[in-house]
Each structure stands twice: as C-alpha cells, then as structure tokens.
Amino acid sequence: MDDSTALELRRLQQENEALKKQLEESQKLADNMSRESFFVDLMGNHRITPEEYQNALQEFHLDFPTERFVVMRIEINPDLITQMDSNLADNQESLRFARFVVRNVTEDLLGKKNRCQVVLVNGELVALINVLEDPETAMASLQAAAEEASRTFELHYDSLVTYTVSNIHEGYRSISAAYQEAQSLVQYRCMVGEDARVMVYDQHTEQNFPKERVEHFEFEHQLGNCMRTGDYEAARNLVHRMLNAEFNHTRPSIQIFMIRAYGIINDLLHVLDGLEESFSIDFLMELQAGPRIVNAASIADISREMDYIFDAIIAQQQTREEEPAWIQRVIDYMDDNFTDPNLNVTSVAEAMDINPVYLSRMLKKCRNIRPLEYIHQKRIEKAKLLLGQGVTVKDTLSLVGYSSALTMNRAFRKFENTTPGTFYREKQ
C-alpha cells in the first residue's frame, strides 16, 4: 500500500469515527428528550396506560419498586447561577451548569433511602421521588434530606436552593396531582414571603383556633367611608387590620389563602377607583395605586404598597409638619444599638415610649426611610467595613447584629445587589 492510499484510508477512518461520535451524541440527545417527555407527561396528567408506563420504565432504565410518589419543585436562586463558574461563556451555560450541580446533589442526597429522578419540566427543575421508606416516617426523612441539600449549596456557594414538597400520593396516575401541589406551594411561598429552605404541602392547613374575621362586604363599605371622608389614617389602620385578621392569626390552606388574597386585592382596587373624586389626574397618574396593588407579589408587598399609597395621599392633603425633636433621638438610638440582634421597630418604639406604627410612619415622612430599612443599612455599612478588612462572613454576622446568614444575604442583595460572600471574595 503506497503512502497516498494509507493517508486516504486514515482520513476515511477519522471521518468514520467523527460520524460515529456524532451519531452517538444525537442518539443520546434523542433518548434524553424522550425520557424528559415521559416525565412531562406524568406531571401533566396525560393518559398513560399501565403497559405504556411499564414499557417506559424499562426503556429508560427506571426502577420504581413502589406505588408511592412525592414531587418536589426546586427553586434556584439567581446568585447560584452567577457564582457557579465565572469562566463560563454565557448565562445559559451558567444556568445549565447550575442545574447539573443541583440535579446531582439532589439525586445523591434524596436517593440514599428512596429513588430520586430530577428532570426539567416546563423550564423548572422537578424531583420525582419514588418512596421506599415507611409512609409514617418518609416525609420527615425526605424533608431532612432536602434540608441537607439546601444547606450544602448555602455552605459551598453562599446561595439558596429551596424545595417545595407535595404529599405522598399513591399510583403513577397521581403524580400529576402531586406536581400540582408542589406548584401551588411555590405560589403560596411567594405570596406569604416564606424563605424556609423546605416547605411541605400538608404543613399549611387551617388551624383549629378562633380567628378574628372581617367580612369583605363590611370591610369594603368601611374603607370606602373612610376614603370619602378623608380619614386616611383610619383607612390605613383598617387595611392593616384586615390583612392581619385574614393572614396573621392562622396558616390557612393554600386554596383558602389564595382566595382570601385575591378577594382583598379586588376590594382595594374597587375602593381606590374612588380616588378620582378627590384628587387630580396628574397625582393619580403618578401614584399608580392600581398597578402597585396588582403587581404586589406577596401579602407583605400589598401591606407596603398600601402604606406608600396612604403616605402619598396624606402628604398630598396636608402640609408637611415640622420634624419632631424625638425623630433625631430615634436615629441616635438606632445608631447606638444596631448591632443588637433583637433591635426592631417594636423595641425602638418601646425605648422611645412611642407607638411603633406612628414612629414608623413619622420616620418615613420626615426622613423618607422606615426604621427596619435604617437598621439594615447601618448593619450592611458595618458589615462591608468588616468584610473589607478580612473578617469572614460567619464572624461578621454576630458583629453587625444578624443572627441568620439568610437574613444578612437578603439584606445584602436588597441594598448592595450582591451577597456577603461575593463582596468578601472581591475585596480579598
């Protein structure tokens, strides 16, 4: 065989190997897509016959020995995506890498005692758990494993991954119901502003003790009267009393919670429509009361937006009062005590012998800031100084008044658009 023939043969062999590799990758991609489609059908309540179900398990090498299933929705904090690897080419590659890591850690920890498959459903990570443990102890075990997974990401990446967990359901056809429970719990988590690492669906049911209730018709009638007579402080207090009565005395079931939330939103929108009788179009356009309420993502957001609306209305109606002397004393007290982990609006108000609601409103009016925002800003200012000097995030916590790493993380993200760990590494 001459040299030219040997060279051509090697070229053909290389092309053949490349084509073979490309074909294997294409087949692997097709298999993954088929496998993912099967899980999407399970979650979406598509009618899969028992024969189709068993064939799919065999085709995709899935082992589900029992008929008990739990579904978990996995929420990845955006901070984790940016912190995974700064060398990745783009955000999509970072997202894929973050999902890969979360998938592996979750399957490893939750699969120790049960079968765990993490898949992508409608763009979100979902864990399907085939429960092998005793049903009496399985939920506690799964919750503990999910807690461990979440702590792992916080420890190694200084970021939060949360899990929302359905009840245990019997039979593969009930997987879609489990998925809907997990989905509902994600929405519930957002509305109540819950930041727990793990939330379990059946933990949030109606409690059996008396609860003050204000009927919606009565609430809307009273609120409308307050607004028409210009008694906006009474209107503010009524709104907060309604929110407190509906949501702070019990932990209602998810369905009841959402019904109540949307009911209050409708009441508020209806009453706020009446502002056109008392205020100029320019003021109302700037106020944007309706959009503020509609776009509120949680009950806490609704409360804050209503405070903003009433503050603006009262400021529009009244001339600005001269700042009371006690405002500076409040500022001085918070400056001296912001490292106390127990410092909050109530403790400041008690020390100053002032009503906490009035203190908060007047500080916002005179200094355009709420007490808790001021305390957070002082703590973050001190934390940045310490982190810049090389003090670790863990040691900084107690030095600035935070008792929880999650609380300091949230404050940093809100006021500095970063995390303590990222800030520390950049300064070092």
Side-chain angles (χ1 to χ4, degrees):
M1 183 184 300
D2 57 29
D3 291 343
S4 61
T5 303
L7 184 62
E8 179 65 16
L9 181 59
R10 283 196 298 271
R11 187 184 68 77
L12 291 173
Q13 289 174 336
Q14 290 173 352
E15 286 184 358
N16 184 57
E17 288 297 323
L19 288 172
K20 183 180 178 181
K21 184 177 180 181
Q22 184 178 0
L23 182 61
E24 290 174 350
E25 291 177 351
S26 297
Q27 184 61 49
K28 183 178 179 181
L29 179 61
D31 291 342
N32 288 338
M33 291 180 65
S34 298
R35 180 177 180 275
E36 187 172 295
S37 178
F38 167 65
F39 282 104
V40 170
D41 287 345
L42 282 177
M43 306 289 177
N45 199 25
H46 292 272
R47 295 188 178 278
I48 300 175
T49 66
E51 183 180 3
E52 291 171 336
Y53 175 71
Q54 291 299 330
N55 289 340
L57 295 186
Q58 186 174 6
E59 178 182 354
F60 302 124
H61 306 289
L62 298 171
D63 181 19
F64 293 157
T66 75
E67 288 294 305
R68 297 187 296 273
F69 294 95
V70 167
V71 171
M72 295 187 183
R73 266 288 307 273
I74 306 171
E75 300 289 313
I76 302 177
N77 190 291
D79 291 342
L80 180 63
I81 299 171
T82 58
Q83 293 179 46
M84 278 294 185
D85 192 339
S86 59
N87 296 321
L88 295 179
D90 53 38
N91 288 336
Q92 283 301 315
E93 189 175 352
S94 298
L95 175 60
R96 284 192 292 271
F97 184 60
R99 285 172 173 168
F100 172 78
V101 173
V102 171
R103 182 194 306 246
N104 285 349
V105 171
T106 301
E107 289 184 344
D108 179 54
L109 293 177
L110 275 79
K112 289 181 178 179
K113 298 180 180 179
N114 302 280
R115 298 284 191 270
C116 178
Q117 298 288 329
V118 178
V119 294
L120 204 62
V121 177
N122 299 324
E124 301 291 344
L125 281 182
V126 178
L128 177 62
I129 314 295
N130 184 230
V131 180
L132 308 185
E133 297 178 270
D134 187 291
E136 296 296 324
T137 60
M139 289 307 298
S141 176
L142 288 172
Q143 185 172 357
E147 291 272 3
E148 183 181 356
S150 183
R151 283 194 298 271
T152 299
F153 295 112
E154 183 180 359
L155 177 64
H156 293 285
Y157 295 102
D158 193 22
S159 190
L160 192 64
V161 173
T162 59
Y163 295 81
T164 52
V165 189
S166 75
N167 286 311
I168 296 177
H169 287 256
E170 290 285 340
Y172 77 89
R173 285 177 173 159
S174 68
I175 291 174
S176 60
Y179 175 69
Q180 288 304 318
E181 285 184 358
Q183 288 285 80
S184 298
L185 195 52
V186 170
Q187 190 176 14
Y188 177 88
R189 176 194 285 274
C190 180
M191 287 295 291
V192 300
E194 178 64 66
D195 59 1
R197 291 186 180 92
V198 180
M199 288 182 69
V200 180
Y201 186 87
D202 61 1
Q203 288 181 347
H204 300 275
T205 55
E206 195 75 56
Q207 300 295 315
N208 296 317
F209 54 85
K211 181 174 76 74
E212 176 190 358
R213 288 296 303 272
V214 180
E215 295 301 329
H216 283 266
F217 178 79
E218 180 185 352
F219 165 67
E220 186 177 335
H221 178 70
Q222 292 178 4
L223 184 59
N225 285 339
C226 291
M227 300 294 279
R228 282 189 293 273
T229 59
D231 192 352
Y232 300 117
E233 279 298 346
R236 181 206 303 268
N237 293 334
L238 182 60
V239 170
H240 285 296
R241 191 162 71 248
M242 180 63 166
L243 292 173
N244 184 65
E246 287 285 68
F247 302 105
N248 287 358
H249 291 282
T250 65
R251 298 303 295 267
S253 65
I254 295 173
Q255 291 80 4
I256 293 174
F257 181 93
M258 300 309 293
I259 290 171
R260 290 181 186 174
Y262 291 133
I264 286 183
I265 290 172
N266 286 333
D267 292 341
L268 293 175
L269 291 175
H270 187 258
V271 172
L272 291 173
D273 282 342
L275 291 176
E276 295 178 359
E277 301 174 3
S278 306
F279 297 96
S280 69
I281 295 298
D282 289 342
F283 171 73
L284 295 176
M285 289 291 291
E286 184 178 352
L287 183 61
Q288 292 288 295
R292 284 181 175 277
I293 298 300
V294 171
N295 294 326
S298 68
I299 297 301
D301 284 347
I302 293 175
S303 181
R304 283 191 292 269
E305 293 297 351
M306 288 306 302
D307 271 334
Y308 172 88
I309 290 167
F310 283 121
D311 285 341
I313 290 173
I314 292 169
Q316 184 76 2
Q317 284 293 95
Q318 302 173 349
T319 57
R320 188 178 181 86
E321 298 177 6
E322 183 178 351
E323 180 179 297
W326 59 262
I327 290 289
Q328 187 56 48
R329 292 200 299 272
V330 167
I331 295 294
D332 293 340
Y333 182 85
M334 291 190 292
D335 286 346
D336 294 337
N337 296 277
F338 70 88
T339 57
D340 180 358
N342 296 316
L343 188 69
N344 54 36
V345 179
T346 302
S347 63
V348 173
E350 289 176 352
M352 297 289 103
D353 195 24
I354 299 171
N355 180 279
V357 176
Y358 181 65
L359 183 152
S360 181
R361 180 169 56 83
M362 289 301 293
L363 189 64
K364 174 67 176 177
K365 183 176 183 179
C366 297
R367 299 293 180 95
N368 195 32
I369 193 170
R370 297 286 180 191
L372 196 57
E373 291 177 338
Y374 187 86
I375 293 169
H376 278 307
Q377 287 185 5
K378 292 293 294 185
R379 288 174 176 172
I380 294 302
E381 181 180 340
K382 178 69 173 178
K384 288 167 60 180
L385 179 63
L386 293 173
L387 294 171
Q389 293 173 349
V391 181
T392 65
V393 174
K394 182 178 179 181
D395 291 338
T396 299
L397 278 174
S398 58
L399 294 176
V400 299
Y402 285 117
S403 56
S404 164
L406 291 177
T407 305
M408 188 165 80
N409 279 353
R410 288 198 303 271
F412 251 84
R413 284 194 290 268
K414 178 178 180 180
F415 295 106
E416 298 296 329
N417 197 30
T418 186
T419 64
T422 301
F423 183 90
Y424 174 86
R425 289 189 291 272
E426 290 176 351
K427 289 301 180 182
Q428 302 314 303

